[in-house]
Amino acid sequence: MPAAVAKLPPGVRCSISADLPSRRRAALLIDRDGTLVREMHYLHRVRDLRLQVGSAALVRAANDAGLGVALVSNQSGIDRGMFGWDAYAAIEAEIDRRLGRAGAHVDARVANAYHPDHTLRWGRVQALWRKPGPGMLLWAVEALGVAPRRAWMLGDMASDAEAAKAAGLAGCVHLSTGHGRAQRPAALALAGKGFAVLPAASIVEVHALLAERGILPTRG
Ligand SMILES: [Mg+2]
């Protein structure tokens, strides 16, 4: 594991599925709020949780294709004092349950509580772990046993794409859901040599975009 992400600081939580094979073909790193689930402004109550239409199908397709899937989420609501890690864990458990009903599962997850205006000791380490820093993404690809160049990020914020670029990922699919519409120009501006930013209206379109690049099989 890269030295910078080998030691998790307080304010970062992660988990890895017990049955994760040591090496995956490629990986999907998925932002949670506004991407996998509907944007709910600091989601922390299970009753407010809504999976986006198409989320479970995409995760299941990635599972079936032998890709590793990780959720990679900024949760500054914690350092803002709006909710605690217990509420975060309850949301994650409910996401697992709903994905499981559709035959889909997440292999790894990582989140951080930080925000530059609300974290008591904001510094270099916290900036590494909060997107647009690459720390969570580097941890996730390492946990999944995938080279960064074989991994794609999905997200609604330009900071999702920025973190993906900083981590050396192949690219980011940028969604219009969540905050995506307003973030689109900044996200697209990050595309460049060796880093693709693919615009999509919603997570429903992601399968076809990744199939075009040979990451997922074409749907029959
Ligand atoms: Mg988001």
Side-chain angles (χ1 to χ4, degrees), residues 31-35 39 131 155-157 160 179:
D31 168 55
R32 195 188 81 182
D33 299 334
T35 301
E39 173 61 42
K131 295 178 287 187
D156 65 311
M157 300 290 285
D160 291 312
H179 299 286

Side-chain angles (χ1 to χ4, degrees), residues 75-120:
Q75 290 296 324
S76 73
I78 294 174
D79 274 3
R80 290 171 192 268
M82 298 170 72
F83 56 92
W85 284 110
D86 52 342
Y88 164 81
I91 297 280
E92 296 301 294
E94 182 61 17
I95 290 172
D96 282 351
R97 201 179 67 78
R98 294 191 195 177
L99 289 177
R101 276 201 311 232
H105 67 272
V106 168
D107 299 300
R109 57 180 58 76
V110 56
N112 76 85
Y114 304 135
H115 190 278
D117 298 336
H118 298 277
T119 297
L120 220 48

Side-chain angles (χ1 to χ4, degrees), residues 29 34 37 46 64 117 126 156 187 196:
L29 310 186
V37 312
V46 167
D64 291 349
D117 298 336
Q126 289 70 27
D156 65 311

Side-chain angles (χ1 to χ4, degrees), residues 87-179:
Y88 164 81
I91 297 280
E92 296 301 294
E94 182 61 17
I95 290 172
D96 282 351
R97 201 179 67 78
R98 294 191 195 177
L99 289 177
R101 276 201 311 232
H105 67 272
V106 168
D107 299 300
R109 57 180 58 76
V110 56
N112 76 85
Y114 304 135
H115 190 278
D117 298 336
H118 298 277
T119 297
L120 220 48
R121 291 187 188 145
W122 174 264
R124 197 172 44 82
V125 169
Q126 289 70 27
L128 168 73
W129 284 91
R130 176 177 161 83
K131 295 178 287 187
M136 293 196 297
L137 286 68
L138 291 170
W139 177 87
V141 292
E142 181 72 24
L144 296 169
V146 171
R149 294 295 311 157
R150 298 290 301 161
W152 283 77
M153 180 74 199
L154 311 183
D156 65 311
M157 300 290 285
S159 58
D160 291 312
E162 197 176 339
K165 191 172 184 176
L169 269 52
C172 178
V173 181
H174 182 255
L175 307 182
S176 297
T177 50
H179 299 286

Side-chain angles (χ1 to χ4, degrees), residues 149 165 190-196:
R149 294 295 311 157
K165 191 172 184 176
L190 291 160
K193 195 168 180 298
F195 184 75

